[in-house]
């Protein structure tokens, strides 16, 4: 056997080491892929894994193709279909397959962009000779199924600087002007293409300009569904060409897809815009302008109850309520920094030659109230609250019912405190938020603590103290949370609360943000116990966020069937015939005297039709009144879900309904 010095000795291949999530190291041949890593760990993992997440050189984690080469020192997490991140890889691949299917069926189609999104994916097309409709979906899905069955391999292809011009010429010759424009804009960023390759002869069947990552082949796509078609402008600019966008989704199993479609169907049934028309809740009129809401009487009642509830909580937590103007001179927004960073989102006015701005936020107004007095350390904390209406410019194309508007009212508050008070204030805020959302039967799906970003204002010591206070408060509250490193606002760390509605959807609502920026800009101060003049910490907080968006969420959470305390009409009195009308009106007076919102159906319809109408209006209680009930000073009670509850004395009905409303119960108490 030759020794190592022999000219016939075999030189071992160069090796590298990668680290697994559990901290274990794995030695691999240099240039090995994530697939090689999976095979080294075990054949079961090699079969189950679909992609990987890599942390390289201490940077941010990124998703990578399974066959992309690893590098020495990489931290690697192999992803299977059980990992949520794998859905992005699946859907990114499915988007390519859908685009290929569309171009097979419509040869004139030119492709634009096709990203994965939270609920699936979409792809934009220019098709000069065809307008896509849902009628096309069956044919496209059948073509997708054929491509999936072929098991086309996804092959990543890097385009070197020397190859860019030739590739651009090829794309333009094919009429793929949008892909050519994208390649031109990314020519210096290491552009890559993905070829969909036939497993039989290795020929490229289709290709796309894309950064990836993707599955190894199309056979991993198990369940795809096209959802809708819409118009879209190239690069989101209405001055550019209008394209046709297909929205779709993909899951690892048909069962997961079916569950998604069922939730989607339920979400459509609960759509607050649809329910607004059925229940006369709100409207948006062209004569007034987009994104400006008219609250109709029923929804205005819901808002009144929410504001009364919030005012009660503000008193419990020792807030001072203020009112501030809807506009202010531009000078105020120059000081706050809004004109430097937010001007494109603000509405400006010229008043007697002086520039004014409709307020996009309440915070600068509240700093001026704080600044109107000299403060001692004994005065702090000072908690200022306002139901403040603000105005922000949103493009017409992105506005959506109550969820995204141009004028909205925030349940806004700003707390001014000493650094040593941060933790106790945050604990009170967490309790405030918990108590508030419990009243709607909503639970937190996630709480996030976002820490100092790379670009920040203020002193590092203040940031460290503030972040520690937030973390300690969350720990003390018992709230599970995740840390988003570096995702705080430039002016301070923050806590965001995400709630889950009745059908499992997650919404961002409450937020707590610490601010070192505005107190410095407005030169806020207080005199400390040692006589030194110091700068207070400012805490921004919102519970609902905005009344418009939160009420939109509530409409969908309850499917329009508000609990008794929020219901615009709490009881509908249904006289069986006209001769019972006067008794029904007296019953209404009795209910109203008990503090309940009651109406009488004075129509001449049959009692069956009256009941059906009240059910459609989602009235919590229907009180039927006829000869027998009048004789017994009773009403026949119907609850909108439970149906007929039988005859009961009117006095008892008043008391039960009153208690149910004042306790803010989520369900009937009979």
């Amino acid at each position: 056997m030759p020794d190592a010095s022999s000219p016939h000795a075999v030189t071992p291949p160069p090796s590298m080491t990668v680290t697994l999530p559990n901290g274990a190291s794995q030695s691999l041949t240099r240039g090995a892929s994530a697939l090689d890593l999976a095979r080294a760990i075990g054949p079961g993992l090699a079969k189950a894994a679909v992609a990987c997440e890599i942390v390289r050189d201490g940077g941010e984690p990124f998703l990578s193709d399974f066959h992309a080469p690893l590098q020495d020192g990489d931290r690697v997490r192999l992803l299977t279909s059980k990992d949520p991140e794998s859905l992005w890889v699946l859907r990114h691949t499915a988007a390519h397959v859908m685009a290929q299917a569309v171009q097979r069926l419509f040869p004139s189609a030119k492709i634009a962009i096709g990203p994965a999104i939270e609920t699936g994916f979409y792809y934009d097309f220019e098709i000069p000779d065809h307008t896509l409709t849902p009628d096309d979906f069956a044919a496209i899905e059948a073509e997708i199924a054929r491509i999936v069955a072929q098991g086309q391999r996804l092959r990543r292809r890097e385009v070197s600087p020397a190859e860019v011009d030739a590739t651009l010429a090829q794309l333009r010759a094919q009429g793929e002007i949008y892909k050519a424009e994208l390649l031109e804009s990314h020519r210096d960023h290491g552009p890559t293409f993905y070829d969909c390759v036939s497993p039989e002869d290795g020929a490229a069947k289709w290709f796309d300009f894309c950064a990836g990552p993707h599955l190894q082949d199309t056979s991993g796509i198990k369940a795809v569904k096209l959802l809708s078609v819409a118009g879209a402008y190239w690069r989101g600019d209405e001055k550019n060409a209008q394209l046709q966008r297909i929205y779709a989704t993909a899951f690892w199993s048909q069962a997961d897809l079916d569950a998604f479609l069922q939730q989607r169907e339920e979400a459509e049934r609960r759509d607050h815009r649809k329910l607004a028309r059925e229940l006369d809740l709100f409207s948006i009129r062209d004569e007034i302008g987009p994104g400006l809401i008219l609250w109709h009487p029923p929804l205005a009642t819901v808002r009144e109850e929410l504001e009364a509830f919030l005012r009660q909580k503000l008193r419990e937590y020792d807030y001072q309520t203020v009112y501030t103007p809807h506009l202010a001179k531009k000078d105020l927004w120059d000081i706050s920094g809004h004109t430097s960073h937010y001007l494109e989102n603000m509405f400006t006015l010229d008043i007697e030659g002086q520039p004014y701005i409709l307020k996009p936020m309440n915070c600068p107004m509240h700093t001026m109230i704080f600044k109107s007095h000299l403060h001692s350390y004994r005065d702090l904390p000072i908690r200022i609250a306002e139901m403040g209406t603000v105005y922000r410019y949103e493009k017409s194309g992105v506005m959506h019912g109550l969820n995204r508007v141009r004028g909205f009212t925030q349940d806004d508050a700003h707390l001014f405190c000493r650094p040593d008070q941060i933790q106790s204030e945050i604990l009170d805020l967490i309790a405030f938020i918990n108590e508030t959302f419990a009243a709607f039967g909503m639970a937190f799906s996630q709480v996030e603590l976002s820490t100092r970003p790379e670009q920040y204002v203020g002193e590092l010591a203040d940031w460290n103290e503030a972040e520690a206070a937030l973390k300690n408060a969350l720990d003390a509250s018992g709230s599970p949370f995740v840390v988003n490193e570096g995702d705080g606002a430039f002016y301070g760390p923050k806590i965001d609360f995400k709630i889950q509605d009745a059908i499992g959807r997650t919404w961002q609502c409450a937020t707590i943000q610490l601010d070192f920026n505005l107190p410095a800009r407005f030169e806020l101060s207080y005199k400390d116990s040692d006589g030194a003049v110091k700068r207070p910490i400012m805490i921004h907080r919102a519970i609902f966020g905005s009344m418009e968006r939160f009420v939109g969420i509530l409409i969908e959470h309850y499917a329009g069937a508000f609990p008794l305390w929020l219901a615009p009409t709490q009881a509908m009195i249904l006289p069986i015939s006209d001769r019972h009308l006067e008794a029904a009106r007296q019953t209404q007076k009795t209910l109203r005297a008990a503090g309940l919102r009651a109406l009488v159906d004075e129509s001449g319809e049959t009692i069956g039709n009256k009941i059906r109408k009240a059910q459609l209006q989602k009235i919590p209680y229907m009180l039927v009144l006829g000869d027998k009930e009048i004789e017994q000073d009773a009403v026949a009670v119907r609850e909108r879900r439970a149906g007929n509850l039988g005859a009961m004395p009117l006095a008892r009905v008043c008391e039960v309904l009153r208690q149910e409303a004042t306790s803010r119960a989520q369900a009937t108490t009979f």
Side-chain angles (χ1 to χ4, degrees):
M1 177 179 291
D3 60 28
S5 62
S6 166
H8 302 292
V10 177
T11 303
S15 64
M16 63 178 183
T17 301
V18 299
T19 305
L20 303 176
N22 63 4
S25 296
Q26 182 72 45
S27 181
L28 298 169
T29 302
R30 191 171 293 275
S33 66
L35 177 58
D36 296 321
L37 172 61
R39 286 170 176 162
I41 295 172
L45 183 58
K47 184 177 180 180
V50 295
C52 67
E53 181 186 79
I54 299 173
V55 176
R56 182 167 291 163
D57 299 328
E60 293 297 315
F62 63 92
L63 296 179
S64 176
D65 296 310
F66 214 38
H67 53 262
L70 301 174
Q71 294 184 15
D72 189 37
D74 282 351
R75 299 183 65 87
V76 184
R77 181 164 71 100
L78 298 173
L79 303 177
T80 70
S81 60
K82 295 179 180 179
D83 294 297
E85 300 91 337
S86 69
L87 270 178
W88 290 87
V89 182
L90 168 68
R91 290 167 176 172
H92 210 150
T93 308
H96 282 339
V97 172
M98 183 180 76
Q100 183 183 169
V102 169
Q103 289 197 307
R104 282 187 179 186
L105 293 170
F106 307 102
S108 66
K110 308 304 177 188
I111 55 177
I113 59 171
I117 56 178
E118 186 175 358
T119 56
F121 58 93
Y122 67 81
Y123 220 107
D124 290 344
F125 303 92
E126 180 189 284
I127 311 178
D129 54 2
H130 185 79
T131 300
L132 293 167
T133 72
D135 292 339
D136 297 310
F137 288 178
I140 297 171
E141 288 174 349
E143 196 62 37
I144 289 172
R146 280 189 281 272
I147 296 169
V148 168
Q150 290 171 5
Q152 294 180 1
R153 290 187 291 107
L154 279 293
R155 180 177 64 197
R156 186 173 186 269
R157 172 164 49 94
E158 296 183 1
V159 180
S160 68
E163 296 171 317
V164 169
D165 287 334
T167 306
L168 282 170
Q170 178 188 6
L171 290 170
R172 287 167 181 153
Q174 294 171 343
E176 295 288 4
I177 57 174
Y178 305 107
K179 288 300 176 184
E181 184 176 327
L182 287 171
L183 176 56
E184 181 68 65
S185 63
H186 290 281
R187 65 185 303 149
D188 299 324
H189 304 152
T192 58
F193 279 77
Y194 278 82
D195 297 324
C196 292
V197 176
S198 168
E200 286 83 19
D201 57 13
K205 298 293 185 181
W206 189 83
F207 70 92
D208 194 4
F209 173 62
C210 184
H214 298 288
L215 302 179
Q216 295 182 78
D217 63 69
T218 61
S219 65
I221 301 172
K222 304 299 183 186
V224 179
K225 181 68 177 176
L226 274 58
L227 302 174
S228 62
V229 63
Y233 292 106
W234 170 235
R235 292 186 179 271
D237 188 338
E238 61 216 24
K239 297 177 182 177
N240 291 337
Q242 187 166 27
L243 306 174
Q244 300 184 64
R245 175 174 294 177
I246 298 178
Y247 285 98
T249 195
F251 286 88
W252 289 114
S253 71
Q254 187 62 43
D256 287 344
L257 175 59
D258 290 343
F260 168 82
L261 294 175
Q262 183 177 358
Q263 187 194 56
R264 177 183 167 87
E265 183 179 337
E266 180 64 16
E268 289 175 353
R269 185 181 75 82
R270 292 170 179 257
D271 189 316
H272 72 280
R273 297 167 300 177
K274 171 178 171 288
L275 290 169
R277 292 188 295 271
E278 295 173 1
L279 303 175
D280 188 32
L281 299 178
F282 71 90
S283 61
I284 302 168
R285 304 287 301 186
D286 288 341
E287 298 90 332
I288 295 174
L292 301 171
I293 305 300
L294 293 172
W295 295 69
H296 292 200
L299 198 61
T301 299
V302 175
R303 176 168 172 167
E304 286 175 1
E305 289 297 322
L306 291 172
E307 291 180 354
F309 171 50
L310 200 60
R311 282 194 292 272
Q312 175 188 327
K313 301 300 294 181
L314 290 173
R315 287 191 290 271
E316 290 175 16
Y317 281 92
D318 199 22
Y319 282 75
Q320 302 174 59
T321 301
V322 301
Y323 296 92
T324 61
H326 286 233
L327 76 167
K329 290 166 60 177
K330 178 175 173 288
D331 300 4
L332 180 75
W333 311 104
D334 289 339
I335 297 171
S336 68
H338 283 90
T339 51
S340 301
H341 302 286
Y342 205 71
L343 187 60
E344 68 277 8
N345 298 105
M346 298 194 291
F347 293 99
T348 59
L349 303 169
D350 185 285
I351 301 177
E352 298 178 344
Q354 174 76 47
Y356 279 72
I357 290 175
L358 288 175
K359 64 176 178 180
M361 298 175 187
N362 300 299
C363 355
M365 304 278 192
H366 293 183
T367 64
M368 299 304 290
I369 291 175
F370 178 89
K371 197 173 180 178
S372 64
H373 297 282
L374 298 174
H375 296 287
S376 158
Y377 72 98
R378 297 178 185 273
D379 301 328
L380 305 184
I382 293 173
R383 308 179 186 94
I384 296 175
E386 177 180 13
M387 296 297 293
T389 301
V390 298
Y391 304 89
R392 300 178 189 175
Y393 172 67
E394 297 281 3
K395 291 184 177 180
S396 298
V398 301
M399 286 184 287
H400 178 86
L402 293 172
N403 290 349
R404 196 156 182 179
V405 294
R406 286 179 175 167
F408 56 95
T409 301
Q410 292 180 306
D411 62 317
D412 217 355
H414 296 91
L415 289 63
F416 301 89
C417 65
R418 306 188 306 264
D420 62 288
Q421 295 172 321
I422 292 174
Q423 183 170 335
S424 60
E425 288 303 300
I426 299 302
L427 274 171
D428 278 352
L429 282 172
I430 293 171
F432 192 150
I433 292 166
N434 274 315
E435 292 166 9
T436 300
F437 286 103
F440 307 101
M442 290 176 165
F444 295 129
S445 62
Q446 189 166 313
V447 179
E448 297 177 350
L449 168 61
S450 298
T451 59
R452 186 183 72 252
E454 289 186 14
Q455 302 297 322
Y456 65 92
V457 298
E459 299 298 324
L460 183 60
D462 291 337
W463 274 87
N464 291 338
E465 184 175 359
E467 288 176 5
L470 294 185
K471 184 180 183 302
N472 291 339
L474 285 168
D475 286 335
S477 73
S479 301
F481 65 95
V482 297
V483 177
N484 284 345
E485 294 289 352
D487 200 39
F490 75 93
Y491 50 77
K494 62 176 182 171
I495 303 173
D496 291 323
F497 298 82
K498 295 181 179 180
I499 58 171
Q500 192 171 70
D501 69 10
I503 59 173
R505 295 173 302 179
T506 296
W507 304 88
Q508 166 69 56
C509 285
T511 187
I512 301 170
Q513 301 175 356
L514 267 62
D515 189 350
F516 309 115
N517 181 50
L518 286 184
R521 282 181 171 271
F522 283 96
E523 299 180 338
L524 306 185
S525 64
Y526 67 93
K527 184 171 286 189
D528 208 354
S529 57
D530 59 2
V533 175
K534 294 185 178 178
R535 186 119 27 237
I537 303 294
M538 184 175 181
I539 301 175
H540 305 249
R541 79 100 181 100
I543 309 296
F544 296 153
S546 83
M547 293 302 296
E548 285 73 8
R549 183 170 177 271
F550 183 66
V551 169
I553 293 169
L554 281 187
I555 293 169
E556 298 190 4
H557 175 61
Y558 293 123
F562 292 103
L564 188 71
W565 72 282
L566 287 174
T569 300
Q570 295 170 319
M572 183 67 78
I573 305 160
L574 309 177
I576 291 177
S577 70
D578 286 350
R579 71 174 183 274
H580 305 121
L581 264 176
E582 187 54 38
R585 292 171 186 145
Q586 291 302 316
T587 299
Q588 180 188 29
K589 290 181 180 179
T590 302
L591 288 165
R592 286 183 170 178
L596 296 163
R597 296 184 289 275
L599 294 176
V600 177
D601 185 339
E602 299 198 10
S603 69
E605 297 182 31
T606 66
I607 191 63
N609 284 341
K610 289 179 179 180
I611 290 171
R612 279 190 291 274
K613 187 168 65 175
Q615 286 283 162
L616 289 173
Q617 293 173 341
K618 302 182 187 292
I619 308 294
Y621 289 99
M622 290 144 273
L623 309 180
V624 180
L625 203 60
D627 293 336
K628 182 179 177 181
E629 288 78 19
I630 293 172
E631 289 174 8
Q632 299 175 354
D633 195 20
V635 288
V637 181
R638 293 186 64 89
E639 198 270 336
R640 64 185 165 203
R641 292 188 177 90
N644 186 15
L645 301 180
M648 300 180 193
L650 179 58
R652 178 171 178 248
V653 171
C654 285
E655 181 59 21
V656 170
L657 266 59
R658 188 189 64 78
Q659 289 182 0
E660 184 179 323
T662 55
S663 67
R664 302 189 175 94
Q666 293 297 303
T668 178
T669 50
F670 277 107

